[in-house]
Amino acid sequence: MAGSLRHTFDLYRFTNGGGTTSQVEKQIPSGPHWAFCYSLLEKISCSFNFFIHQYLDPELRNLVCVHYLVLRALDTVEDDMNITCDTKVNILENFHRYIYDGDLHISCGTSHDKVLIDQFHLVSTSLSELQKGYQEVIEDTTKRMGAGMAKYILKEVETVGEYTEYCHIVLGLVYVELSKVFHASNLMDSVPDHLSNSMGLFLQKVHIIQDFMADMNEIPRARIYWPRQIWSKYVDKLEELTYKENSAKAVCCLNEMVTDALLHAEDCLEYMTALRDPATFQLCAIAQIIAMGTLKMCYNNIEVFRGGVKMRHGLAAKVMDGTKVMSDVYGAFYDFLGMMKIKIDNNDPNATKTLSSIEAIQQVCVDSGLLNQRTLYLDMVVEGKWNQVQEGGSSSVEGQVDPFSLVADELSLISNRLREMVVSEVPKLSSAAEYFFEMGVEGKRLRPTILLLMASAVNVSLLSGSGILDAVMTNISSELRTRQQRISEITEMIHVASLLHDDVLDDADTRRGVQSLNFLMGNKLSVLAGDFLLSRACVALATLQNTEVVSLISMVLEHLVTGEIMQMESTSEQLYSMDHYMRKTFYKTASLIAYSCKSIAILAGQTTEVAMLAYDYGRNLGLAYQLIDDVLDFIGSSASLGKGSLSDIRHGIITAPILFAIEEFPELQEIINRGFDNPKDVDLSLEYLWKSRGIQRAIELATEHANLAVSAINSLPQSDDDNVRISRQALVDLTQIVIPRKK
């Protein structure tokens, strides 16, 4: 329970930040025992300490402080995995008796928790000064919670019913008893116990889902709270959910756990409508909103089984600072659930049930009639997906236009032109050069899409007139668009040429879900086909007759070669340098997109500032794209990637996830230095990666660059042209597609 409160209120420091230690000290009752309690509470969670001083009256504040410390002490005993089961069970079952005499008969915990256990007699003294009714609430809660904890020390959680019972024991009980105190203090209307219980159940189930890896990694043995009734549908042993080969099963299991937690959300909303006191409302509502946001992040997210997920502090601070009234809760629930709904995979076995639960909760929010009265709006990047919530409770993601569909006709035109441009008088060379431009293996065509949208986003609106002037302006606009389309064609030819060369260097046998050209026709023809595409790209570039653009694209070709050499001949120091990796990534991937975007702006006659914003967008989106590509090399399947997974590490190529993992586990570097001649070293490296936050940190870095790409678009000069604004929004929306993609 104490851990659950800590999850929620440690974030409070990111909101008001007001209140000084001296102000708090003036409100502490006299006596060394009270000084100890509040001093320790401040050390454990200064934000929670400030919160209760700021909003609760003295009598209720003392109750909450002592209640928190008593249950945290109980929680410390349960959490200490070094205590033998028999000893722990005895202490937990009798803990309610020890709270008065102050002798807990054990020393356990670490840091502030150890101080709490060793000096518990001071908490007991404070408890004795509370009114009798409050003492009975704490004793009764402690007795039932201790007995319940003891029960599940001796047995695993087998059924969903037992799982719900455990959550009731560790947090549902607290809400049931505190609700009675709130009602007696005229802070809320009377509510049925099942509503109070649901408040605790929802929070605790979210924490159990979120903390899967922390509980599994507990030393000396894992703590298992996920019910066997759910996880045994997917794996034979719970730890198998962390195995990469079980990723799909793990996510399905996770989604069933999330769906189970959602069953309590409607009760939580009903409970919160009974809260009358603003401070008590905030105390309860903030925790619930953060829990719903966390649940949204966990849903369909394999990172729960890698390094875990956590709400950004900035977003949590916004929730805490912006949650004032019930309309804010309805709005936040509605928005988070809308984002969760977007993530539903129809192939998930729980999809129908999840969707039904989400829509039922959202309907409660709609039926309240308060959505349009809220003051809290969420504007966030969560899991790398840009979600900008608009008035009325709908996410912009739900109403966004598919960026690819906006330029579908032009993409088709460009594809046809490319097939015509790579025809050679030598049939075999034509066949090779056309290979990745054929229908069905053209790839995502991301680069042409970016460039065509950028063209619309930066093109200057031409003045309209009448008669001959209109015809002239139309002709100029058409000619400009054709020249910008040519940049898209040049970029795509350079990109495909680099793929052909890369496949030879990497000895790859698949690309875009089909056999690679070098595997099919041999290395020599594959290299020559790549050279042929580069020559055709240069011819097309010359037709633009713009020396600045020619210079920029020529620099891209230099960067492609430089990046490949950097990858082939890195020193040991460079191999493990994040700066070297990011520079190489720019040269090999982002440079082409960045300078092509800049070329689009230059052809449009834009200012140097706008051209640099176009460059910044391409650079950051390119870096984000490659970072996710490097993540997918570890967590994607060969079928989804269209090429072999784990190809980088098997070739000794060190990417961001491994670099971040080495920061946590330096011994991983020694394994990599051995060269992977032994297949077991690959498996050992992956074990370290899964134990680290390498994957999560790489995704976070990709998200940062996606955010920078969005900032570049938002910094472009304002325009009243609908086509310009739609294209700019589509470029922003592309950042949503790049990060959560699976191929």
Side-chain angles (χ1 to χ4, degrees), residues 479 483 486-487 490 538-551 602-603:
E479 181 181 345
R483 286 160 62 80
R486 183 57 51 90
I487 292 289
I490 292 166
C538 290
V539 171
L541 183 60
T543 65
L544 294 174
Q545 297 182 338
N546 186 302
T547 54
E548 186 174 4
V549 170
V550 170
S551 177
I602 290 170
L603 290 179

Side-chain angles (χ1 to χ4, degrees), residues 419 422-424 429-438 441 533:
R419 283 189 281 271
V422 299
V423 173
S424 166
L429 183 57
S430 290
S431 297
E434 292 173 354
Y435 187 66
F436 284 124
F437 294 116
E438 294 176 357
V441 290
L533 289 176

Side-chain angles (χ1 to χ4, degrees), residues 162-231:
E162 289 179 346
Y163 169 56
T164 300
E165 180 188 39
Y166 175 79
C167 293
H168 164 73
I169 289 164
V170 297
L171 199 51
L173 273 174
V174 177
Y175 270 91
V176 170
E177 295 304 322
L178 282 180
S179 296
K180 294 174 182 176
V181 173
F182 291 158
H183 174 58
S185 303
N186 296 316
L187 301 177
M188 71 177 298
D189 297 335
S190 178
V191 294
D193 284 353
H194 77 271
L195 295 184
S196 305
N197 186 43
S198 285
M199 291 283 284
L201 294 181
F202 185 64
L203 288 184
Q204 188 61 27
K205 288 187 175 184
V206 171
H207 294 321
I208 286 175
I209 292 169
Q210 180 186 18
D211 291 347
F212 177 86
M213 287 305 299
D215 289 334
M216 289 300 295
N217 292 331
E218 191 68 44
I219 296 173
R221 59 187 181 280
R223 295 185 295 180
I224 299 176
Y225 299 125
W226 287 35
R228 180 184 294 272
Q229 183 180 345
I230 289 179
W231 61 257

Side-chain angles (χ1 to χ4, degrees), residues 83-93 153-154 221:
I83 304 174
T84 64
C85 287
D86 289 344
T87 300
K88 185 180 291 188
V89 167
N90 180 61
I91 294 173
L92 292 173
E93 289 180 337
I153 292 296
L154 300 173
R221 59 187 181 280

Side-chain angles (χ1 to χ4, degrees), residues 35 132 579:
K132 189 65 175 177
D579 288 341

Side-chain angles (χ1 to χ4, degrees), residues 15-174:
T15 56
N16 300 348
T20 64
T21 302
S22 59
Q23 289 174 328
V24 170
E25 286 175 350
K26 291 177 182 178
Q27 303 177 49
I28 296 175
S30 60
H33 48 292
W34 284 112
F36 170 81
C37 288
Y38 280 105
S39 173
L40 185 60
L41 182 60
E42 182 176 16
K43 291 174 183 177
I44 292 172
S45 178
C46 61
S47 49
F48 184 42
N49 183 48
F50 174 74
F51 188 92
I52 64 174
H53 275 86
Q54 181 82 355
Y55 293 108
L56 301 185
D57 66 67
E59 188 175 40
L60 191 56
R61 181 194 316 136
N62 293 339
L63 164 65
V64 171
C65 176
V66 174
H67 203 177
Y68 181 98
L69 292 176
V70 169
L71 296 184
R72 187 179 179 102
L74 183 68
D75 194 54
T76 299
V77 173
E78 187 205 24
D79 282 351
D80 195 320
M81 303 305 288
N82 293 307
I83 304 174
T84 64
C85 287
D86 289 344
T87 300
K88 185 180 291 188
V89 167
N90 180 61
I91 294 173
L92 292 173
E93 289 180 337
N94 292 283
F95 201 89
H96 64 287
R97 296 189 177 94
Y98 305 148
I99 63 175
Y100 292 111
D101 61 31
D103 186 358
L104 297 182
H105 307 284
I106 196 169
S107 179
C108 62
T110 60
S111 188
H112 300 312
D113 292 320
K114 187 177 189 307
V115 173
L116 171 61
I117 297 296
D118 292 344
Q119 303 293 320
F120 193 78
H121 63 279
L122 295 172
V123 179
S124 297
T125 302
S126 299
L127 171 65
S128 68
E129 294 182 3
L130 296 177
Q131 62 170 271
K132 189 65 175 177
Y134 288 172
Q135 293 180 32
E136 291 173 353
V137 166
I138 294 175
E139 179 183 355
D140 183 60
T141 304
T142 305
K143 178 179 180 180
R144 289 195 281 169
M145 188 180 292
M149 287 178 170
K151 174 181 177 179
Y152 286 99
I153 292 296
L154 300 173
K155 70 186 298 295
E156 286 188 13
V157 178
E158 296 286 342
T159 67
V160 174
E162 289 179 346
Y163 169 56
T164 300
E165 180 188 39
Y166 175 79
C167 293
H168 164 73
I169 289 164
V170 297
L171 199 51
L173 273 174
V174 177

Side-chain angles (χ1 to χ4, degrees), residues 483-544:
R483 286 160 62 80
Q484 290 172 326
Q485 289 172 353
R486 183 57 51 90
I487 292 289
S488 299
E489 295 159 4
I490 292 166
T491 300
E492 193 66 356
M493 283 191 284
I494 293 174
H495 171 59
V496 172
S498 72
L499 296 183
L500 295 178
H501 289 164
D502 280 352
D503 286 346
V504 171
L505 291 169
D506 297 340
D507 197 25
D509 54 11
T510 60
R511 170 71 69 175
R512 293 181 175 174
V514 298
Q515 291 177 326
S516 62
L517 185 63
N518 58 299
F519 182 84
L520 196 64
M521 297 186 177
N523 286 342
K524 288 184 179 180
L525 191 57
S526 189
V527 170
L528 290 172
D531 293 345
F532 177 68
L533 289 176
L534 290 176
S535 69
R536 285 299 170 93
C538 290
V539 171
L541 183 60
T543 65
L544 294 174

